[in-house]
Amino acid sequence: MTHTLPLPDFSHERVEVTTGPRSGLLITVALHSSTLGPALGGARMWTYPHWSDAVGDALRLSAAMTLKNAAAGLDAGGGKSVICLPPGTTLDADRRRAAYLDLGDAVDRFGGSYRTAEDVGSTTEDMLVVSERTAHVVGLPDAVGGSGEPAGPTSLGVYEALRATLEQVTGTHEVVGRRITISGLGQVGSRLAVRLSAEGAVLTVTDVNPAKRTLAAELGARWVEPGSEHLIEADVFVPAGIGGVLDADTIDALAARAVCGPANNPLAHRSGADRLAARGILYAPDFVVNAGGVVYLDLEAKHLGTRSQIMDRVAAIGDTVRVLFADAAARDITPLDAAEERAAERLAIGRRARESAVLV
């Protein structure tokens, strides 16, 4: 399910919308900011009801990547690319390959100011195809010396953020016996569900793909139909699919004490953070919670530490969430406000450094 969301304010450095000459598919590459360094953000392949929805998604996601990378302390800007599949489109292997060759050409035209990686609908093997047309791609398969699948690091970051959220609303970070609802069992949601189940969480899960019922049964999790999961009483609601699921109606009916999940832009409107707060529902900002994958990809690509050290940095996302919760409570603001301020401070430092370099 894709939610049609309002377009964000246009504050981007560069956006290219093109029709891939090989695939015939609409491809958007959006560079939001390079203030902190070359932008990094994945390539999403998804079905959209209209081509403009795909462009809008690229604009929103790239802006979110600027916040994500800044808040995570990375020397990386924000960008995103989207391959738009019209409704009813099914790609055979040849056309899929053509789409990622087209994406590689589009990314290469940015001259290194934007680096792509896998995202929803894409794989490390797809990134290998992209690498045939541009060097500005990360997250290639382990077999060719790349950093591999980033869903594991993303899941680790979400897990640690979820434990910090549980600590805030229950007094302990222990997972056992806690009621957790996961909406979306993709690469990250599935990994998280497996770990939480092993630690004794009481899971409710759903996904738009009914085949995911098999995983639910294996984990002993309760399955509910998509669109009803927010009505289940839970300690934490975990949005792990496509963005925009938390609109006003959903928030008003949400039966959870907190929201913490890997989905990008789960709030249909930014005001949703205030609406959640008014209901006493704690919100862990998505771009902090789900930063594990991009932290891993950026540091691996730059060889900044051993893999173990990089994973320790990913796990520290939980501590970042704790700091944001404490800051928000002390100043009577939302955690989203606190997280955006954290990102804005880093971006301001980056702008001043760039201006000083120009003057010199």
Side-chain angles (χ1 to χ4, degrees), residues 15-40:
V15 177
E16 179 175 310
V17 183
T18 185
T19 299
R22 303 175 186 84
S23 66
L25 296 173
L26 184 93
I27 296 172
T28 304
V29 179
L31 168 59
H32 180 256
S33 172
S34 60
T35 297
L36 296 176
L40 175 59

Side-chain angles (χ1 to χ4, degrees), residues 191-281:
R191 283 173 167 79
L192 187 64
V194 169
R195 182 164 191 170
L196 294 175
S197 174
E199 294 188 13
V202 180
L203 291 181
T204 298
V205 300
T206 192
D207 192 276
V208 294
N209 180 1
K212 296 293 183 177
R213 280 178 176 266
T214 301
L215 176 61
E218 291 172 354
L219 299 179
R222 176 185 179 185
W223 176 273
V224 295
E225 290 303 311
S228 65
E229 62 270 28
H230 64 290
L231 303 175
I232 306 301
E233 289 192 8
D235 294 301
V236 183
F237 177 78
V238 181
I242 296 300
V245 295
L246 293 173
D247 58 17
D249 291 340
T250 302
I251 290 172
D252 288 347
L254 185 62
R257 301 171 68 182
V259 174
C260 175
N264 287 303
N265 301 326
L267 299 175
H269 303 277
R270 192 195 176 285
S271 59
D274 297 309
R275 201 176 192 100
L276 286 167
R279 290 204 57 218
I281 300 172

Side-chain angles (χ1 to χ4, degrees), residues 4-316:
T4 300
L5 300 174
L7 286 172
D9 291 336
F10 190 88
S11 54
H12 295 67
E13 293 180 15
R14 178 179 173 185
V15 177
E16 179 175 310
V17 183
T18 185
T19 299
R22 303 175 186 84
S23 66
L25 296 173
L26 184 93
I27 296 172
T28 304
V29 179
L31 168 59
H32 180 256
S33 172
S34 60
T35 297
L36 296 176
L40 175 59
R44 174 166 298 194
M45 176 181 278
W46 199 252
T47 299
Y48 295 89
H50 191 266
W51 66 266
S52 61
D53 296 312
V55 176
D57 210 16
L59 297 180
R60 283 186 296 272
L61 291 166
S62 58
M65 288 303 304
T66 295
L67 293 175
K68 181 185 298 190
N69 293 339
L74 299 177
D75 294 324
K80 207 77 172 184
S81 45
V82 171
I83 300 173
C84 176
L85 299 181
T89 301
T90 300
L91 302 185
D92 60 21
D94 288 342
R95 195 176 181 197
R96 184 181 184 93
R97 173 176 167 77
Y100 285 99
L101 290 172
D102 289 339
L103 174 65
D105 286 339
V107 169
D108 202 60
R109 286 193 288 272
F110 280 67
S113 60
Y114 164 67
R115 296 166 295 154
T116 195
E118 72 162 88
D119 193 71
V120 175
S122 297
T123 68
T124 57
E125 294 298 326
D126 293 324
M127 294 306 104
L128 190 58
V129 175
V130 172
S131 73
E132 295 179 31
R133 304 299 302 176
T134 183
H136 308 300
V137 55
V138 299
L140 301 182
D142 284 312
V144 297
S147 53
E149 168 64 58
T154 301
S155 178
L156 172 61
V158 176
Y159 169 78
E160 294 296 348
L162 187 144
R163 296 209 309 158
T165 303
L166 280 173
E167 188 176 291
Q168 188 73 13
V169 296
T170 71
T172 175
H173 63 253
E174 295 297 332
V175 169
V176 61
R178 294 302 172 191
R179 301 165 302 170
I180 299 172
T181 298
I182 302 178
S183 177
L185 293 174
Q187 290 271 23
V188 177
S190 294
R191 283 173 167 79
L192 187 64
V194 169
R195 182 164 191 170
L196 294 175
S197 174
E199 294 188 13
V202 180
L203 291 181
T204 298
V205 300
T206 192
D207 192 276
V208 294
N209 180 1
K212 296 293 183 177
R213 280 178 176 266
T214 301
L215 176 61
E218 291 172 354
L219 299 179
R222 176 185 179 185
W223 176 273
V224 295
E225 290 303 311
S228 65
E229 62 270 28
H230 64 290
L231 303 175
I232 306 301
E233 289 192 8
D235 294 301
V236 183
F237 177 78
V238 181
I242 296 300
V245 295
L246 293 173
D247 58 17
D249 291 340
T250 302
I251 290 172
D252 288 347
L254 185 62
R257 301 171 68 182
V259 174
C260 175
N264 287 303
N265 301 326
L267 299 175
H269 303 277
R270 192 195 176 285
S271 59
D274 297 309
R275 201 176 192 100
L276 286 167
R279 290 204 57 218
I281 300 172
L282 184 66
Y283 177 63
D286 58 294
F287 60 84
V288 177
V289 171
N290 63 21
V294 74
V295 169
Y296 170 75
L297 289 173
D298 189 55
L299 299 184
E300 274 273 322
K302 295 174 179 175
H303 307 292
L304 297 177
T306 65
R307 186 160 293 192
S308 176
Q309 290 170 332
I310 292 171
M311 293 304 283
D312 285 344
R313 173 112 175 237
V314 170

